[in-house]
Amino acid sequence: MMIVGLVLFVVSSALLQSCSDDDDEYYYDVNVPNAIVSIASNGNGHPILVLNDSTQLYPVNLRSELYGGKRMRAFVSLRQPKDSELSDGIYADGLKNVYVNWIDTIRTKEMAPDQGLKNDSVYGNDPLEIVDDWTTCVEDGFLTIRFRTLFGNGKTHILNLVKGSDDNEVVVHQNANGDVRGTMGDGVIAFSLQKLGLQPGTTHQLTVKWNSFSGMKSHTFTYRVPKRD
């Protein structure tokens, strides 16, 4: 099916606030992620979490750079910090301060070189579906997708993103390594869009194409190319 009515997830103040007058109680499932972010750095060795094109989060309980400063996508479980967790001055003015319960990185890849008519043979053309939920989005220069495909024999499925007919089109390729029977299962992967070479600060309509179980499908996202130092 074609993705329609895509909802981009934004951490609201309601999610990050206590539902009780008792600051020690937070009514949410800490085991479930409530955001996807990009891991970045403030340049002083402290991590910054980029929630979307306009919101950066400052994790008050993380004191050192994550993953060697490599920019990558991740699931996180967040909450609003308690006053006691800000008492040592580890907070940021102008950013939304958050407390990170846990963080789990998402496989994050660069785009693959365009091989023209050889793309299907080089990168595969096994079918998949892109799932319409909050984990499928274009934010902070990344395309993040939840994909659904058949898993059966334990072989590694390799996904790649390749430039399409122009700078505003990309194609998702899957090489299932022969694992094309079994049970439907989901995975999440992210791709950097930096190699599209679009001008920072500009906004584009980015069309994503993929070979589904019922033929080629596509969906168009609004892509705001980030400005980065």
Side-chain angles (χ1 to χ4, degrees), residues 22 24 51 82 89 92 103 117 190:
D22 182 353
D24 292 330
L51 178 65
K82 305 173 187 179
I103 187 165
L117 296 176

Side-chain angles (χ1 to χ4, degrees), residues 61-226:
N61 60 318
L62 302 181
R63 307 298 171 83
S64 60
E65 201 170 60
L66 299 174
Y67 306 104
K70 182 179 180 181
R71 201 175 191 104
M72 56 199 310
R73 300 287 278 170
F75 284 111
V76 289
S77 170
L78 304 170
R79 64 168 171 81
Q80 179 176 319
K82 305 173 187 179
D83 290 343
S84 62
E85 292 163 340
L86 302 174
S87 60
D88 60 359
I90 305 299
Y91 60 90
D93 292 327
L95 300 180
K96 187 170 187 63
N97 296 289
V98 295
Y99 185 97
V100 176
N101 297 305
W102 56 262
I103 187 165
D104 187 17
T105 58
I106 295 169
R107 177 79 167 102
T108 305
K109 300 179 66 173
E110 297 290 334
M111 290 181 61
D114 181 14
Q115 303 287 346
L117 296 176
K118 296 181 180 179
N119 282 334
D120 285 353
S121 60
V122 173
Y123 301 118
N125 195 36
D126 293 315
L128 57 83
E129 301 292 348
I130 295 181
V131 180
D132 175 12
D133 73 355
W134 65 272
T135 60
T136 297
C137 59
V138 174
E139 295 286 359
D140 189 44
F142 293 93
L143 167 66
T144 306
I145 62 171
R146 178 179 295 278
F147 66 93
R148 182 167 294 158
T149 193
L150 291 167
F151 294 93
N153 62 20
K155 292 287 186 67
T156 299
H157 291 232
I158 301 172
L159 272 67
N160 281 290
L161 188 71
V162 180
K163 182 179 174 181
S165 59
D166 56 45
D167 290 343
N168 296 309
E169 181 181 286
V170 291
V171 182
V172 179
H173 287 265
Q174 178 188 202
N175 179 359
N177 282 312
D179 187 18
V180 294
R181 291 183 174 84
T183 304
M184 282 288 188
D186 289 8
V188 179
I189 191 169
F191 297 98
S192 170
L193 298 172
Q194 186 175 4
K195 289 186 177 179
L196 286 177
L198 298 171
Q199 184 68 28
T202 58
T203 300
H204 303 264
Q205 296 301 301
L206 179 70
T207 297
V208 179
K209 294 185 175 181
W210 66 96
N211 181 33
S212 78
F213 287 92
S214 56
M216 289 299 296
K217 292 182 181 177
S218 67
H219 179 72
T220 300
F221 298 83
T222 298
Y223 172 37
R224 299 174 182 86
V225 186

